[in-house]
Amino acid sequence: MLSVTLDSVLNHHFQVVIPVTVGKPFKTVSDNGDVTNTISGTISASVNGKYPAPLYVNEKASRGGNVGGVSNYLLELDKAQSGGPVASFVYLRTVKLTRMAE
């Protein structure tokens, strides 16, 4: 499972949880009020316990705001990682990869 939390002027602590499979591309679109959030990417196989994950995130408000871009993550299971194209106190993405219970 991949959890993505968006904190920005368009989304305030908006979280999406996406089921993902290593090596298989995914895309989800989720609305938060008048903001349409698109998240896509591919989680690659683990290299030394880290999963390369280029993620595309776009936040588009019907009132005209639009923030988006690709960020490259090296995710470790159960460890949250923050960043994004404009990582600051005004705009932040937090990404966490967890294994589903079998």
Side-chain angles (χ1 to χ4, degrees):
M1 300 297 287
L2 181 70
S3 113
V4 178
T5 303
L6 306 173
D7 271 309
S8 71
V9 295
L10 298 177
N11 285 293
H12 177 68
H13 199 75
F14 177 72
Q15 185 176 49
V16 177
V17 178
I18 309 157
V20 295
T21 301
V22 170
K24 184 176 178 183
F26 66 87
K27 179 179 180 180
T28 187
V29 178
S30 184
D31 292 333
N32 181 25
D34 72 340
V35 180
T36 299
N37 300 287
T38 303
I39 301 169
S40 62
T42 303
I43 309 298
S44 296
S46 172
V47 177
N48 297 323
K50 296 183 180 185
Y51 296 81
L55 300 180
Y56 170 77
V57 177
N58 183 266
E59 301 170 74
K60 184 172 183 167
S62 62
R63 62 187 181 275
N66 188 16
V67 177
V70 175
S71 296
N72 293 304
Y73 295 90
L74 287 174
L75 300 174
E76 294 180 68
L77 285 174
D78 301 318
K79 291 187 179 179
Q81 192 176 110
S82 295
V86 186
S88 70
F89 67 94
V90 176
Y91 185 85
L92 185 64
R93 294 180 189 151
T94 303
V95 180
K96 184 177 179 183
L97 183 66
T98 57
R99 187 177 311 270
M100 287 180 62
E102 295 181 21

